[in-house]
Amino acid sequence: MFAQTDPAPYGPVPTSAQVQWQRMEMNMFVHFGPNTFTGKEWGEGTETEDIFQPTQLDCGQWVKVAKEAGFQGIIVTAKHHDGFCLWSNPASAHTVRQSAWRNGQGDVLKELSDACRRAGLKFGVYISPWDRNAPTYGTPAYNRTYCRTLRSALSKYGPVFEMWFDGACGEGPNGKRQVYDWERFRRTVRRLQPQTVMFSDVGPGCRWVGNEEGRAGVTNWSRLDVEGYAPGAQAPPQDTLTHGNHDGACWVPAETDVSIRTGWFHRDSEHPKSLQELLRIYYSSVGRNSLLLLNVPPDSRGLIAEEDAARLREFREALDSIFAHDLAHNAIFVNASNIRGAKEDDPEVKPIPFGPQNLIDDDYDSFWTTEDTVTAAEVIFEFAKPQSFNRLVLQEYIPLGQRVECFYVEVLDADGTWRRVAEGTTVGYKRIVLFDKVSAVSVRIVIDKSRANPILNRVGFYLDEIYNPDNQNDMK
Ligand code: FUL
């Protein structure tokens, strides 16, 4: 006999837009603008518009590179701190319209959003509130100008999946400061693009991970306390952004933004990171309950350099080969110490709605869970012959909240004793645990502490023979 009651949500939960966003896993960031031509990281805002002169701009190429690498969306710096707009923004006199490029008729946002749509990629924008060009910056009038800018960029190019709010505000000596009207900015975005996930140090859609090194916390809660905080100087401590708040009142998951090169903008003197470093970043972001936003800056031709494209192809091939075979599918038997609604005296009834078989199916919305009162439980996988693996993938069913606080993994040795091979804390949307290669016929995942009945929708075992850090155990 089965109780069919669905488990109740626990704590703050994501909106459906946040769930869809989290399932994208990897997106491409594109820093492009006057800095691409001057070699600066932060333009002054005084650059002539004619400096923006890509000779062979092809957003179709960016999209092709992104698609082949497995990115689901692209976020472009529609306006960086120098204020130059990659589209003809009526609220600014410092845009492609004033540039000699394509006789003032060019529009990068149009080209990119069209190319994304054709390829089935999502399109997002970074529009820097800090503006070193806008004459009104530093006065209340600028907040109106910025909202007009938002309205222009968000109303003409179709759905915008993510809006990236940088927190910078008159940085550096003698910089003009602006009192940003964040509430108004958010309302403006919400009105035009209700589904947009808004990034900032404090969300509301997703949060900065607190560093630009490609590293989310090993412990990473998708919850954050935002009350009393704001993007930029009034943001929570960076360490808090890296780990989230255990009891945070809002669902604000982490996004790890990092550049494939040293800088955010392209420079001929810099080169893409190694494959090993990209895999390290992948495991430390996607593998730690964070989205990865990898910046791949086009050069002054308006094209992604071949060496970056080639590195991304290697990255894709590596991920495909590492995650090609989920050894969990070889299990001849999967069982759990507790199954919601299952009565031991009635083992015949099938299928078990919340049984552990849901951990190895391809249905995102099916999961294994326990009775409400059970907050520690284990799942066991048995194989007909030994399986060799060094990666464990766990996924919590986040539409019902984030629950798991700590877990460990054990394999059954030949002498019949269980040996602990890895342990972890939070899981969240996805946790990939790294450990030295083991070979076993029985594996158990023990959730020893969960804030409510654990709800997992996936377990996977993989063998990665490509990524070779000095120490495989990512907890150390
Ligand atoms: C920062 C900016 O100041 C950098 O230039 C870059 O755009 C990065 C992604 O965000 O706050």
Side-chain angles (χ1 to χ4, degrees):
M1 213 189 97
F2 299 102
Q4 301 287 339
T5 52
D6 289 338
Y10 171 80
V13 294
T15 62
S16 63
Q18 284 174 312
V19 174
Q20 275 184 41
W21 171 90
Q22 189 95 50
R23 292 181 69 185
M24 295 173 83
E25 298 195 358
M26 296 207 311
N27 292 322
M28 191 165 98
F29 214 0
V30 171
H31 276 67
F32 188 53
N35 297 343
T36 311
F37 303 86
T38 61
K40 291 185 181 157
E41 276 295 316
W42 285 359
E44 311 290 331
T46 49
E47 296 81 10
T48 159
E49 290 85 22
D50 290 347
I51 200 125
F52 185 79
Q53 196 59 250
T55 47
Q56 302 170 47
L57 178 80
D58 181 4
C59 295
Q61 188 248 6
W62 308 358
V63 163
K64 185 164 176 285
V65 170
K67 184 112 184 155
E68 282 174 6
F71 295 110
Q72 305 291 313
I74 299 184
I75 300 177
V76 66
T77 53
K79 174 169 88 95
H80 202 253
H81 308 327
D82 54 56
F84 183 79
C85 299
L86 299 186
W87 82 107
S88 173
N89 174 13
S92 168
H94 191 49
T95 79
V96 283
R97 191 175 66 246
Q98 285 78 21
S99 158
W101 176 62
R102 296 188 179 168
N103 298 318
Q105 303 299 305
D107 184 341
V108 181
L109 295 199
K110 173 147 184 33
E111 283 203 32
L112 181 58
S113 56
D114 286 349
C116 282
R117 198 172 308 113
R118 277 195 296 274
L121 291 187
K122 292 188 179 176
F123 169 73
V125 283
Y126 169 125
I127 303 178
S128 170
W130 184 26
D131 192 317
R132 301 176 103 180
N133 175 270
T136 56
Y137 192 85
T139 73
Y142 175 76
N143 287 333
R144 285 195 294 279
T145 306
Y146 184 71
C147 285
R148 276 182 71 203
T149 294
L150 289 177
R151 282 199 293 277
S152 167
L154 298 176
S155 56
K156 288 199 296 201
Y157 304 106
V160 169
F161 83 97
E162 182 171 335
M163 166 68 216
W164 225 87
F165 281 118
D166 189 89
C169 176
E171 312 292 313
N174 310 320
K176 278 193 274 176
R177 310 267 148 145
Q178 174 73 32
V179 180
Y180 295 130
D181 191 344
W182 290 109
E183 269 316 304
R184 185 169 170 183
F185 300 169
R186 288 174 185 164
R187 264 198 326 269
T188 304
V189 174
R190 190 56 71 236
R191 205 175 305 131
L192 291 160
Q193 296 273 348
Q195 293 301 310
T196 295
V197 170
M198 286 184 250
F199 168 100
S200 84
D201 293 336
V202 290
C206 62
R207 71 173 198 265
W208 185 43
V209 77
N211 63 74
E212 292 177 344
E213 296 145 25
R215 187 172 44 79
V218 171
T219 297
N220 183 11
W221 295 99
S222 290
R223 303 173 60 161
L224 193 70
D225 284 318
V226 298
E227 197 62 45
Y229 293 108
Q234 289 119 49
Q238 294 190 356
D239 187 63
T240 301
L241 298 178
T242 304
H243 298 102
N245 290 122
H246 179 268
D247 295 316
C250 304
W251 186 270
V252 191
E255 177 175 273
T256 302
D257 62 313
V258 57
S259 186
I260 194 169
R261 290 173 170 238
T262 318
W264 290 103
F265 288 87
H266 180 276
R267 262 182 225 95
D268 288 339
S269 58
E270 294 174 0
H271 299 283
K273 293 185 160 87
S274 67
L275 172 63
Q276 288 293 316
E277 180 61 2
L278 290 184
L279 290 171
R280 200 271 311 151
I281 289 170
Y282 178 85
Y283 281 123
S284 310
S285 54
V286 178
R288 293 181 182 171
N289 187 32
S290 168
L291 203 104
L292 170 58
L293 181 61
L294 184 68
N295 180 61
V296 185
D299 60 20
S300 58
R301 295 171 304 166
L303 298 174
I304 291 170
E306 180 49 33
E307 57 178 327
D308 301 60
R311 184 54 39 77
L312 287 172
R313 281 195 294 274
E314 285 175 44
F315 181 45
R316 183 72 257 158
E317 276 165 28
L319 291 176
D320 284 347
S321 89
I322 295 166
F323 295 106
H325 303 291
D326 181 355
L327 302 172
H329 288 135
N330 298 346
I332 46 169
F333 183 68
V334 189
N335 207 351
S337 57
N338 185 282
I339 300 170
R340 185 180 189 82
K343 292 277 190 300
E344 272 173 30
D345 55 7
D346 193 7
E348 299 302 317
V349 186
K350 285 196 163 96
I352 306 175
F354 302 113
Q357 79 283 349
N358 293 329
L359 295 169
I360 51 175
D361 68 11
D362 290 330
D363 179 2
Y364 182 78
D365 294 304
S366 76
F367 47 78
W368 160 68
T369 189
T370 62
E371 301 292 355
D372 286 340
T373 51
V374 175
T375 53
E378 63 183 59
V379 259
I380 300 192
F381 290 78
E382 308 266 4
F383 300 95
K385 53 183 195 287
Q387 307 290 307
S388 296
F389 55 92
N390 56 5
R391 307 285 181 256
L392 164 72
V393 175
L394 295 176
Q395 291 195 256
E396 277 187 88
Y397 188 64
I398 55 165
L400 295 174
Q402 187 177 355
R403 299 159 184 248
V404 175
E405 296 211 74
C406 49
F407 66 89
Y408 57 89
V409 190
E410 291 187 329
V411 295
L412 193 62
D413 276 337
D415 66 359
T417 56
W418 287 100
R419 176 166 59 96
R420 188 180 290 211
V421 295
E423 58 199 12
T425 53
T426 52
V427 174
Y429 167 72
K430 187 180 260 193
R431 175 78 171 97
I432 310 177
V433 194
L434 284 70
F435 44 92
D436 288 323
K437 182 158 100 178
V438 292
S439 210
V441 288
S442 301
V443 192
R444 69 177 181 193
I445 295 150
V446 181
I447 293 170
D448 46 359
K449 200 165 166 214
S450 180
R451 307 178 67 172
N453 54 310
I455 307 183
L456 297 188
N457 58 345
R458 199 162 93 84
V459 169
F461 302 105
Y462 298 92
L463 181 61
D464 172 359
E465 295 194 293
I466 301 172
Y467 178 51
N468 270 312
D470 296 340
N471 184 351
Q472 286 281 354
N473 187 334
D474 69 348
M475 293 296 290
K476 288 184 185 144

